[in-house]
Amino acid sequence: MTIQRRQFLAGASGAVLMGTTGLARAQTASLSVPWMGWPDEQVAPLMDAFEEASGIGIEYERLPITELFNTLEVRLSARNGLPDAYLVDGPLTASYAARGHLMALDGLMEGELGRYVPSTLVQGSYDDTLYALPLGTSSQVLFYNKAHFAEAGLAEPSADPADRMTWEALLELATALTGKAGEFGFAFENTNPYQLLPLPQSWGAEVIGPDGLTATGYVDSQGFIDAMTWYQELFTRHKVAPAGTFEGGIMQEMFGSGQVSMMVGGTWNLEGLKRFADLDFGVVPHPYFASGKPVTATGSWHLGINPRSANLEAAKAFATWLSTPQAMDLFFSLRQYPPALEQIWEERAGTTFVDPAWEIVQYELANTATPRPITPGYREYEEFLRGAMRDIQGGADVAESLARAAASIDREMRKYR
Amino acid sequence: MSTMSVRSLTKSFGRTEILRGIDLDVAAGEFVALVGPSGCGKSTLLRLIAGLEGASGGRIEIGGRDVTRLPPKGRDVAMVFQNYALYPHLTVGANMGFSLKLRGTPKRKIDAMVREAAAVLGLDALLERYPGQLSGGQRQRVATGRAIVRNPALFLFDEPLSNLDAKLRVEMRTQIKALHQRLQVTTIYVTHDQIEAMTMADRVVVMRAGRIEQQGAPLELYDRPANAFVAGFLGSPSMNFLEGRIEGGAVALADGTRLPAPGGAAEGRRVLWGMRPEDIEIGGEGMPAQVEVVEPTGPDTQLAVRIGGQAATVLLRRRAVLHPGEQIRLSPAAERIHLFDAETGSRL
Amino acid sequence: MNYSRWTPFLFLAPALAGLAVFRFAPIVVAGAGSFSGMTLTGALEFAGLENYRWLLTDPAFWDSLRITLIFNLIINPLQLALAFLLAMLIFQPGRGIWVYRTLLVLPMAVSTGLSAVLFKLVLDPNLGPLNGILEWAGIGAQPFYRAAEQAMGTLIGIATWKGAGYWMLFLLAGLHAIPASVQEAAMIDGATPWQRFRLVTLPLMRRPMAFVLVADTAINFLFFAPVYILTGGGPNGATSVLMFEAYRSAFTFSDIGRALAISSFLLAILAVIIVLEFRLMRSPEDRR
C-alpha cells in the first residue's frame, strides 16, 4: 500500500487555500480514500485534479485487489469514520449497503442520474436506492498476437460480433499456437468469478439461485461443472494455458511479451499493451460455447461514501466532482473503463470509440453484458468461488471443488436470510 | 585389583603443556594420592588414566595392558567425580546399577550387587530415592557406591570430598580409607588437600606445573622433602623458611642472627633454612625472636614470630602464656633442620 | 523499612496487570463473544450456544479441525526431532561450526510472513527457481502449495525451515545444562555413544524438550501467516487450519460469533493437548 506523501502535503496546502477562498469550511483533515493498486500514473492524476479543483486534500492508498477487499472489510467493520470514501466493486454494493457502510446518494445526485448509462446505476443500487456512484463499467474482449497467427499460418479471427468465435474454435487455435510462436496459446487475464462466470453462463448454467442467496444447485450444477471442466482441461489436458498465474498484471506482461498468443482481458489492456513496442495485436469479441449463448462480463468500480465519515462534506464534494464529465473523461483516459456517463461516449464517439475494439465493446454492453450476481453476499460468493476456480485450474476435482464452494457459500449466506 | 603405570605421559591443550612427562607406577591394591596446587595437572593426569582425555604422548598401562588408546569403556576403571556426577533421572539403586545394566548383567544379579554395595556404604534406605532428594554426604556415598559396585580394576577419585563441609569431610575420609582397606582396590586419589593425602594414601605423589616433584610414603615425604616446594606444600601450618647464607658452619640471616645448620653446605652459599613449626621449642640458648601474634587453639598454641626480621610460625603442643611484643628465645630440634638451595629449592 | 504482606504483590502488579490486559482479557472477550452474534448493522446480540451448535454441525469445521490436528501431529514431533538433531550436531564443536550455526539461526531473523513470501517466490510452480532446478535434475516440476496433496507438506516444510533452528537454540541450551561430568560418568560406566544418548542425554533433555514441544504446539495450533499468504486455505480446503477459518469468519465474512467460537474451541483443545504433553514429558524424578 502506498500513501502518497506528496498528496498529503498538497492536501494540507489546499486546506490553507480554502480558508482564503472561502469555498468551504476550513478543512483540517484530508480525505482518506483506499483505492485500487493500479500503477500510480493511473491514479495520481485523478487525485491531483480533484485537489486542484476543490482545494480538498486526499490521502489515497493503492492496494492490490485482494488486499483492497480485506482491508476495507476490516476498516468498515470497526464502524468508525475511516475511510471517508472508498472504491466499491459494483456487485459489493448490496453487501456494503445492507450492513450500513454506504451513504445513500439519491439526494446528492438528484436530477443527475439521467446522465448515466442505466446498467451502471443498477450495479450501484440496492433496494432501489443509489448507494455507489458509477465510475465506469467494463467489458472483456479477446486480444490476439497478429505476428503469432502469421507465424503459425493461421487466419486471423473476425472482429464482427456476428462471426463471434466459439470456445471450441478457440481451443483449436490455441492448440495450434501453443509452443509455436509463443509458449502458450491462450489465457484468461485473471482467475476470478468476474472473468470466468461467463463460461458457465454461456454454457447456459444459472450461477446463483433466484433469491440471490443460494449457491447449492447452481454453483455445483451440471452446466457449471461442465463449463469449468472445459476450463480445467485448458491447463491439465490441452496444456494451452499457463496455470497458477494469479498475480495481478502478470498476464498482460505475458501477452505483451509474446509468451501468450491470445488473451481474454479487459479494455484497460487497449492502453496498457501500448508499452510493448514490438506487439501488434488484434481485438475480437469474447468467445462463447457453441451449444450456448454469448455472455460477457461487465460491471466495474463505483465510489462509496462512509456514512460515518467525519468529513462528509468533503467526501460528497469528491463524489460530486467524480460525476462531472471532466473528471470522468480523465478517469477514462487513465484506465479505459467503458464510461458510465453517456456524455463521454458521445464526446469520444468520433475519436477514441472509432477503434473497432470499442465498437465491439459497445455491442457487448448493449447485447451480451451480464452482470455478476446481485446479492448482499457477493463477497462470500466471490471468495469461495475464486478459491474453487483456482483449485480447478490447479487440477482439483471440478465437481468436488464446486460442491464444496457451494456449501461454503450457503453457510456464509445464512446471515443474510 | 591391578597395577597401573604411566610412562613419559604428556598432554597439551593447543600450545599449553599441562603434563610434561609423567612416570608413575602404582602397585596392585595401593592407594596413591596425587596432590599439588591447582593447575599442577593432577586432575588431567587422572582424566588421562580414566580415558576421558587422550594422551599427547607416552603410555598408560592398567594391569599390564596398554590402554593408552582405549576409550574409558575398555579400561575397567571407576571414577568418583568432585560434583559426584550422579544421573539425576535415576534412583540411587539405578545409579549404582547403571554400569552393570550396560554390561548386560541380569537384573537379579544387579539387584544383589547393588544391595551389597549399598550395605557397605549405609545406603540401604536410600535406594529408591533420586539424587535431588539426597544431602551432599549421601550423594558422595552414592557416587562411591556407583564406583565400587562392579569391582573395577582401578578406582579413581577426583577431589571427591572438596564439596563437603569440614566435619563431613573428616568422616568420609575415614570411610573411604576403611573401604579401601576392605576392598583392596588399586586407588588413585586426586586432592589439593595435603591432609587428605597424608592420612589416606599409602603413597603421596606431589605434582607441580605438570611434573612430579616427589613421591613416597606420606611420612617419608614429610620428613625428607626433596625440595622446598614439597616441604612447604606438606604440613600445616607449613614449614618455616628463613633465607640466609652459610657462614662458619651456621646459617647467618641478613641481620646477623645465626641459625644452627648441619654440616656439608659450602661456605657462603645462599640457602633456605627450613624448620617445621612443631619442631621448635621455646627457651634455652637458641635464636632470639619476637612474638607478634598468639593463637591458642586449646591443645596447641600457635605463635607468629619474627626471627632476624623474617616471619616464622611456631606450634607449641601445649598451652603457653605469651604476649605480643615479648622477646623469646627459640630452640629448633637440630636433627629436624632442612637446608635447601636458595636458588633451586632442592635439598642440600 | 515497612514490609507488609502485600509488598510482594505490589512488585508483581505490573506483570499481573500486563497478564490480565494482554492475556486474560482477550480470552474472556473471546469466550463471551463466542456466545453472541452480530447483526448486519453491527449490533451485538446474545446467541447462546447457537455459534457452537452451528459449528459442530458444520462439515467445514470438522474438516478444518482434522486438518489442524494432522498438521500438528506431524509438524510438532518433526520440528522437535529436527531441532534436537541440529542441537546435537552443533553441540559437538568442530571445524567450521559457526557456518552451521549461522545457517541454522539465519531463518529466525526472517519473520514468518516474510518467509512465506520468500517461499512463495522460490516455490512458485511456474516462475520459482526450485522447479527450475528440479526440472534440470530430471525430477520434474512440482505443484507445491498449488496442489492439495503437496500443500500441507509445503507449509510444514516452510514452518520447519524457520522453526527448527529456533527451537534448536532451546535444546542446545538444554544440552549445555547437562553437566559434562554426568556424560563422563556414563562413559566410564561403559556406555556407548548411543547408550549415552538414549539413557542419559535423552532423559535429561525431558524438560527442555517438554518446553519446546508445548511452546511449538501452541504456536503451530495458531499457525496462520503462511496459510494466508500461500494457499488461502486451499487447494480444496487442504490447508484450511482452524486459525485461518477463524480469520476468514472474522475479517472476510464479518461473522464474529463464528470466529470467536472457533478461537475459543481452539484454545480449549490446545489447553487439553498441552496438559497431555506435559504429562507425557514428565520425568520420573518429578513425580514425588
Side-chain angles (χ1 to χ4, degrees), chain A residues 67 70 73-74 79 99 243-247 250 379-380 383-384 391 396 401 404 411-412 414-416, chain C residues 40-42 54 58 60 63 120 126-127 146 228 235-237 245 247-248 251-255 258:
Chain A
E67 299 302 317
N70 279 339
E73 202 57 40
V74 171
R79 293 184 183 272
R99 289 181 289 150
T245 48
F246 301 145
E247 307 298 330
I250 193 170
R379 182 155 170 65
E380 289 80 354
E383 173 82 11
F384 286 113
D391 291 348
S401 299
R404 176 192 290 272
R411 183 189 75 218
E412 294 302 332
R414 80 186 195 281
K415 56 180 170 284
Y416 302 109
Chain C
L40 287 180
T41 47
W54 175 252
D58 175 10
D63 269 357
K120 185 172 190 173
N126 299 307
L127 311 168
R146 291 274 164 76
Y228 175 76
N236 253 352
E245 282 285 314
Y247 164 83
R248 274 226 292 208
F251 297 113
T252 308
F253 305 134
S254 327
D255 192 346
R258 181 175 190 259

Side-chain angles (χ1 to χ4, degrees), chain A residues 62 98 131 157 174 178 192 215 237 287-288 321 369 375 386 399 404 410:
Chain A
R62 294 183 298 114
Y131 280 98
T178 297
N192 55 32
R237 187 169 148 207
Y288 73 110
W321 181 75
T375 162
R386 178 174 49 232
R404 176 192 290 272
D410 285 351

Side-chain angles (χ1 to χ4, degrees), chain A residues 391 404, chain C residues 67 147-152 155 231 233-241:
Chain A
D391 291 348
R404 176 192 290 272
Chain C
I67 285 163
E149 306 77 41
Q150 294 188 7
M152 179 69 89
L155 291 183
T231 65
N236 253 352
T239 58
S240 183
V241 292

Side-chain angles (χ1 to χ4, degrees), chain A residues 388-416:
Chain A
M389 285 169 165
R390 291 185 172 191
D391 291 348
I392 287 168
Q393 187 192 94
D397 185 274
V398 178
E400 191 191 315
S401 299
L402 290 175
R404 176 192 290 272
S408 301
I409 293 166
D410 285 351
R411 183 189 75 218
E412 294 302 332
M413 287 288 193
R414 80 186 195 281
K415 56 180 170 284
Y416 302 109

Side-chain angles (χ1 to χ4, degrees), chain A residues 160-246:
Chain A
D160 184 353
D163 293 333
R164 186 186 298 270
M165 201 195 305
T166 62
W167 283 120
E168 290 81 356
L170 175 128
L171 179 55
E172 276 178 38
L173 288 176
T175 309
L177 286 161
T178 297
K180 289 270 167 40
E183 209 174 321
F184 295 100
F186 171 71
F188 284 97
E189 186 175 13
N190 290 303
T191 308
N192 55 32
Y194 163 75
Q195 182 145 48
L196 298 180
L197 276 178
L199 287 176
Q201 285 169 332
S202 171
W203 198 280
E206 290 295 327
V207 297
I208 197 164
D211 59 354
L213 299 172
T214 310
T216 304
Y218 301 92
V219 163
D220 56 352
S221 70
Q222 194 56 46
F224 210 122
I225 292 171
D226 291 343
M228 291 316 291
T229 303
W230 181 88
Y231 171 75
Q232 182 179 57
E233 290 181 346
L234 291 177
F235 302 90
T236 56
R237 187 169 148 207
H238 308 298
K239 299 191 196 322
V240 297
T245 48
F246 301 145

